[in-house]
Amino acid sequence: MEEVRIGIYICHCGKNIAGVINPKRIVEHLSRLPNVVVAKEYLYMCSSPGQSLIEEDIKEYNLNRIIVAACSPRMHEPTFQSALIRAGLNPYLLEMVNIREHATWVHERDPAETEQKVIGLIRAAVHRAINLYPLEVERLPVVKSVLVVGGGIAGIRASLDLAKAGYKVYLVEKNQSIGGKMAQLDKTFPTLDCSQCILTPMMVDVSNNPNIILQTYSVVEEINGRPGEFEVKVRQKARYVDWDACTGCGTCVEKCPARVPSEFDEGLGTRKAIYFDFPQAIPRRPVIDPDHCLYLIKGVCRVCEKFCPTGAIKFEDEDQFLTLKVGAIVVATGYQLYDMRKMYEYGYGKYRNVITGMQLERLSSANGPTSGRITTIEIERGKIKPGKEPETVAIILCAGSRDENHIKYCCRIGCMAGLKHAYYIAHALPNSKIIICYTDIRAFGKGFEEFYQRIRSLPNVFMVRGRPMEIFENKDGSLILDVFDSNTNRRLTINADLVVLETALVPPQGFEEFRKILKISCDPGGFGLELHPKLKPVETTVDGIYLAGFIQGPKDIPDTVAHAGAAAAAASAFLAKGYIESIPYLAHVDEDICSGCGVCVSVCPYDAITIEVTDGRRLAKVNSVKCKGCGACAAACPSGAMQQHYFTDKQILSEVSALAEGVVA
Amino acid sequence: MSEFQPKIVVFACNWCSYAGIDLAGSSRLEYPPNLSVVRVMCSSRVSIEMILKALERGADGVLVTGCHPGDCHYITGNYNTLRRYHLLRKMLEDLGLNGRVRLEWISASEGERFAQVAKEFVEEIKKLGPLIIREEVV
């Protein structure tokens, strides 16, 4: 067997490591360890001279194992693997020791102990490195198509970018139409562009793009396969309309007698049981809501069928399942409003004139329930109808956000949305009085501060720094707010005809389950977790799966669009070269030892192991395409026949033993 | 005499817990230096032999960390870990090694939680005192 010759390289990482421990002193200690030929320290190992140092030493000292004690392998393992490859060494003969994240950054107050820990970690790495051996990776083909989940502005932008780059895109949207939350908005801050005017042309582009297959009213149920070749099972909900036969004339919608609160109008208006999400819906093909269609629930009506000129109504329609093969997935599922009924002190859902910011958007929109008139809300025989023009409107920022009892994080939108809503009211009702109850005004974006100054200098806009403690309702439906203004140090009682809550924003319903199908992590707020908060904002722990827009964390429209573009670029880069490299850390069997007991088969999550009879002997066989390299089989194997490359029993046990022994001579 | 400083071996899965421990690092959340981390791809790779080997060779405690149930990068890997842990706990009781091995779910965003668990576990092991295994037991 070839003699093991180890080179150890300790990174100072500027002061990040060397500010706590003394790399020079550690180097002296290390030269006494077995098989260590050379040990060095350098200011920045990841720098070009740092990497060259390793490459030159590999040649000069004929090294065949490299240990780099620096940051997390999740950061720079690929960097140093490349250095090994350039010097002609197999990249899996590298062992990284995480002395920054796991030592100097967390034990700063205890430098002597930290130094001992670092020596212990490096010593364990030496024992592990002795047992490393070269590994080969295979090139696996990729499918040049992408699944985009969610048809809001993030999904639309990502789809268009990917289609432009030549990829086939499947855009899956759960609602009848694409457009998402942006379609519900009247105007966008801080420029006050008409939201639909800038969104609908992009929606039309999506429907006209030959590379984009639009799959609305559908949800992703299952994802199998591997990065580069995912197999996605999509459920297309029963539409009860044959979209191929339908021309989108809308006669059915007009004739349908059933009225249902409209989701698009946030419950303030109604839609029919057969409906488009909104007038500019894309695709312009209606669906029947089976929970409210008179024929489907009571067996009478069929008016839509009678009036449909093309015979497209299909009451016998059922859910359909499609299987898509895609190389990458962009997750753009957006957000939803926090359920404000949970903040009982504001009386949302109980007091009719306490509404959400999104409901105000619908009141202000020309295609909304009041055709753009901002009014109070009346309820007549259980039905919502517009009331009078409000004289005083209170806008409450951070409703549910930045609140220990509700949602801890900042929604990043509420401040500007609240100012925009003040503009809507001031513009539509110049004689009204608008009171904005704020906590802090966060005007960080381009043009935001200017917008804030513009709105707060309007003569009928008043700023109160405080969150209302409670809201009470008068008999006439108007409201009384009890708020402490910390600017004037006074407790105020505000009378308002309408209260607008700028609500907290949370991941959409069902994302927790969907995230588990994707096998990606989440942050404490429940949003999808990016691979690195600064440097890999769209990547996830799964190769080939990218986050776009709000689902990675709160974002306004410009940030969402930029993030979605970045996700599309990352997905495109992942697929562009036409192949990916296989995982090297797969399971393999020592056939001389295997008894064919099959314990490995029972623990494998991927059915990658089978027991086969060869020459009368039962042996485990690993399917290297199905194996994902978890190592469960290797841990379960009673004889040690099943092993995982790069994580063999011998490699792990030598590392564990050395760590347990601690720093001994 | 200086205070007993236990040696603790931590097994961490690459996708959740190792990332969570890294996050504790980049967030500069202090915890005692008694713990050393061994990276594996999945907590289900950690065999009973590895845990016992650590205790045999001088570790005073072993902390196994993995993704939360339902969050495993390898679908059901951590369920194998959990089953194995229950089996091991019974065995450890018989050996008189109660409390020396702990299983914790640490997600990639739970740096704070890891630092907390690390502090707690070090204190617990300090209370238990050094682990001395006589030759005949080994």
Side-chain angles (χ1 to χ4, degrees):
Chain A
M1 224 171 86
E2 193 192 14
E3 181 204 0
V4 172
R5 298 176 62 81
I6 301 176
I8 304 179
Y9 299 87
I10 301 177
C11 182
H12 291 209
C13 196
K15 278 189 338 197
N16 286 310
I17 291 171
V20 179
I21 57 168
N22 184 342
K24 282 203 174 70
R25 205 157 49 214
I26 293 174
V27 160
E28 284 166 27
H29 193 99
L30 296 176
S31 44
R32 282 178 265 155
L33 293 172
N35 300 71
V36 175
V37 178
V38 56
K40 289 183 178 172
E41 33 80 33
Y42 188 70
L43 192 58
Y44 290 106
M45 283 313 306
C46 61
S47 68
S48 169
Q51 293 184 57
S52 303
L53 180 71
I54 299 175
E55 289 167 48
E56 284 157 20
D57 279 6
I58 290 174
K59 289 170 194 156
E60 192 181 333
Y61 296 102
N62 208 12
L63 302 176
N64 54 20
R65 303 287 190 282
I66 298 299
I67 293 174
V68 180
C71 52
S72 172
R74 295 176 78 254
M75 193 84 190
H76 267 312
E77 199 172 49
T79 311
F80 295 113
Q81 283 179 333
S82 310
L84 266 69
I85 293 170
R86 283 196 299 274
L89 210 56
N90 185 286
Y92 300 99
L93 297 171
L94 169 77
E95 176 66 15
M96 274 196 82
V97 189
N98 188 344
I99 62 170
R100 190 180 72 174
E101 280 84 342
H102 291 190
T104 56
W105 272 354
V106 281
H107 317 311
E108 212 179 2
R109 277 184 287 184
D110 206 347
E113 288 294 326
T114 311
E115 206 162 297
Q116 287 304 300
K117 172 168 171 175
V118 166
I119 294 169
L121 288 169
I122 297 175
R123 182 176 167 273
V126 168
H127 286 269
R128 175 175 152 84
I130 292 172
N131 294 310
L132 291 177
Y133 52 86
L135 296 173
E136 297 305 326
V137 289
E138 279 176 72
R139 283 185 177 186
L140 305 172
V142 298
V143 185
K144 292 215 169 188
S145 60
V146 183
L147 166 71
V148 176
V149 188
I153 183 60
I156 288 172
R157 173 62 199 253
S159 298
L160 288 172
D161 283 8
L162 285 160
K164 205 186 272 178
Y167 296 97
K168 188 173 181 177
V169 177
Y170 298 95
L171 176 53
V172 174
E173 162 60 45
K174 71 174 190 312
N175 289 335
Q176 176 270 329
S177 172
I178 56 169
K181 292 280 190 287
M182 188 174 167
Q184 290 179 273
L185 306 180
D186 178 23
K187 294 179 174 58
T188 57
F189 61 76
T191 50
L192 301 175
D193 286 284
C194 155
S195 187
Q196 296 221 340
C197 310
I198 55 178
L199 175 68
T200 48
M202 288 177 82
M203 290 165 59
V204 173
D205 284 352
V206 165
S207 70
N208 290 340
N209 195 307
N211 279 348
I212 301 176
I213 295 169
L214 197 50
Q215 185 63 46
T216 65
Y217 211 54
S218 299
V219 288
V220 173
E221 297 247 305
E222 231 177 84
I223 297 171
N224 293 306
R226 59 160 175 86
E229 215 178 79
F230 292 108
E231 239 184 60
V232 182
K233 192 169 142 195
V234 175
R235 176 197 291 268
Q236 178 188 300
K237 294 181 269 185
R239 298 159 169 167
Y240 306 100
V241 177
D242 178 352
W243 281 13
D244 292 328
C246 173
T247 58
C249 69
T251 309
C252 53
V253 177
E254 206 179 294
K255 300 292 180 189
C256 175
R259 285 190 174 270
V260 185
S262 155
E263 296 85 357
F264 187 78
D265 282 335
E266 297 287 323
L268 293 180
T270 57
R271 61 163 169 83
K272 300 293 185 70
I274 184 165
Y275 68 103
F276 304 106
D277 276 344
F278 53 103
Q280 301 95 319
I282 284 187
R284 194 172 160 77
R285 296 284 181 272
V287 293
I288 294 179
D289 170 356
D291 297 331
H292 295 95
C293 167
L294 296 173
Y295 177 65
L296 289 174
I297 54 174
K298 290 183 186 160
V300 287
C301 185
R302 305 183 85 141
V303 165
C304 50
E305 193 180 38
K306 193 156 65 190
F307 284 96
C308 177
T310 61
I313 303 298
K314 207 166 86 181
F315 287 117
E316 69 286 1
D317 198 15
E318 286 178 355
D319 288 4
Q320 286 175 32
F321 293 93
L322 300 94
T323 304
L324 310 175
K325 280 216 163 188
V326 295
I329 300 171
V330 174
V331 182
T333 49
Y335 66 93
Q336 70 177 21
L337 273 57
Y338 182 63
D339 181 0
M340 288 316 295
R341 284 171 302 187
K342 291 181 185 170
M343 279 191 91
Y344 62 90
E345 61 268 40
Y346 287 172
Y348 180 77
K350 197 166 68 178
Y351 306 154
R352 63 181 192 268
N353 283 312
V354 176
I355 63 170
T356 64
M358 194 56 107
Q359 287 179 315
L360 185 73
E361 293 287 349
R362 297 313 306 144
L363 289 179
S364 184
S365 289
N367 67 1
T370 56
S371 307
R373 275 193 317 123
I374 296 173
T375 66
T376 59
I377 312 289
E378 293 292 336
I379 297 177
E380 201 179 278
R381 273 177 275 136
K383 284 187 179 147
I384 290 172
K385 53 171 260 185
K388 57 167 185 133
E389 287 183 352
E391 284 167 23
T392 308
V393 181
I395 298 175
I396 303 176
L397 307 189
C398 300
S401 293
R402 304 175 65 202
D403 186 331
E404 283 291 320
N405 299 316
H406 297 277
I407 299 297
K408 286 185 185 155
Y409 53 85
C410 164
C411 75
R412 275 177 67 104
I413 290 178
C415 289
M416 286 300 124
L419 293 167
K420 180 184 69 171
H421 293 155
Y423 170 84
Y424 287 176
I425 299 156
H427 183 254
L429 311 165
N431 297 324
S432 64
K433 188 170 151 189
I434 301 139
I435 298 152
I436 300 178
C437 299
Y438 70 101
T439 309
D440 305 288
I441 292 290
R442 296 187 163 171
F444 48 82
K446 185 168 175 171
F448 286 13
E449 180 63 23
E450 295 86 335
F451 186 62
Y452 167 47
Q453 294 303 338
R454 174 182 168 190
I455 301 302
R456 77 165 295 157
S457 61
L458 292 174
N460 49 347
V461 170
F462 301 88
M463 306 292 288
V464 171
R465 189 174 191 277
R467 295 187 203 199
M469 289 167 266
E470 202 166 354
I471 299 175
F472 305 94
E473 192 185 40
N474 291 315
K475 275 202 179 128
D476 64 352
S478 68
L479 303 149
I480 303 167
L481 284 73
D482 184 5
V483 55
F484 183 81
D485 182 7
S486 65
N487 283 339
T488 56
N489 221 13
R490 274 194 316 188
R491 188 167 171 180
L492 306 175
T493 302
I494 298 167
N495 292 299
D497 300 312
L498 190 66
V499 171
V500 180
L501 305 175
E502 301 302 343
T503 58
L505 303 172
V506 294
Q509 197 188 355
F511 182 66
E512 180 60 16
E513 292 75 41
F514 183 48
R515 161 181 98 66
K516 287 178 178 168
I517 292 174
L518 292 161
K519 293 183 208 80
I520 60 173
S521 308
C522 68
D523 67 19
F527 292 102
L529 188 67
E530 66 282 0
L531 194 55
H532 190 280
K534 304 281 183 301
L535 305 175
K536 292 185 175 170
V538 297
E539 291 87 344
T540 66
T541 48
V542 184
D543 282 346
I545 298 185
Y546 305 95
L547 300 168
F550 209 113
I551 197 58
Q552 181 258 344
K555 279 174 201 65
D556 58 15
I557 293 168
D559 286 359
T560 292
V561 169
H563 197 252
S572 172
F574 177 71
L575 298 176
K577 64 182 186 295
Y579 66 87
I580 58 159
E581 286 181 348
S582 66
I583 311 157
Y585 314 139
L586 302 184
H588 65 287
V589 188
D590 183 339
E591 297 194 348
D592 293 339
I593 308 174
C594 177
S595 66
C597 71
V599 170
C600 49
V601 178
S602 70
V603 297
C604 178
Y606 301 100
D607 299 326
I609 311 173
T610 46
I611 298 291
E612 285 171 23
V613 180
T614 319
D615 299 330
R617 270 188 68 201
R618 286 165 55 83
L619 289 175
K621 296 262 182 212
V622 179
N623 179 334
S624 62
V625 175
K626 283 185 167 177
C627 176
K628 299 278 178 287
C630 63
C633 54
C637 179
S639 65
M642 188 64 82
Q643 291 296 332
Q644 183 187 9
H645 287 307
Y646 205 67
F647 294 95
T648 65
D649 283 345
K650 211 170 161 184
Q651 288 162 353
I652 299 175
L653 287 170
S654 56
E655 183 183 1
V656 167
S657 301
L659 283 178
E661 283 159 8
V663 184
V664 289
Chain B
M1 211 180 102
S2 64
E3 194 196 8
F4 158 59
Q5 289 300 338
K7 273 182 289 188
I8 294 168
V9 173
V10 183
F11 291 97
C13 78
N14 185 58
W15 306 101
C16 292
S17 307
Y18 196 93
I21 300 171
D22 276 1
L23 182 64
S26 53
S27 316
R28 314 295 202 279
L29 301 170
E30 291 257 343
Y31 57 87
N34 308 62
L35 306 95
S36 298
V37 177
V38 175
R39 181 169 68 130
V40 284
M41 282 294 128
C42 176
S43 61
S44 69
R45 177 65 189 95
V46 182
S47 63
I48 288 180
E49 186 191 359
M50 289 168 192
I51 296 169
L52 294 180
K53 179 67 92 182
L55 296 174
E56 180 208 323
R57 287 302 186 94
D60 301 294
V62 175
L63 178 62
V64 180
T65 60
C67 309
H68 285 265
D71 264 1
C72 180
H73 188 74
Y74 301 103
I75 314 174
T76 53
N78 51 3
Y79 290 109
N80 287 324
T81 312
L82 185 61
R83 287 189 202 108
R84 204 174 286 145
Y85 174 69
H86 286 308
L87 191 69
L88 176 67
R89 244 192 0 195
K90 186 89 196 73
M91 214 159 113
L92 292 173
E93 278 171 26
D94 293 344
L95 290 168
L97 299 175
N98 304 10
R100 298 277 176 184
V101 179
R102 185 160 161 178
L103 174 66
E104 284 288 345
W105 309 128
I106 309 279
S107 82
S109 62
E110 291 179 329
E112 219 165 303
R113 197 174 128 69
F114 176 75
Q116 190 56 39
V117 166
K119 279 182 222 164
E120 273 173 32
F121 195 49
V122 168
E123 283 313 308
E124 280 170 27
I125 299 293
K126 275 186 182 169
K127 275 186 210 143
L128 289 175
L131 175 61
I132 298 155
I133 300 177
R134 275 166 299 172
E135 285 295 314
E136 59 264 36
V137 177
V138 179

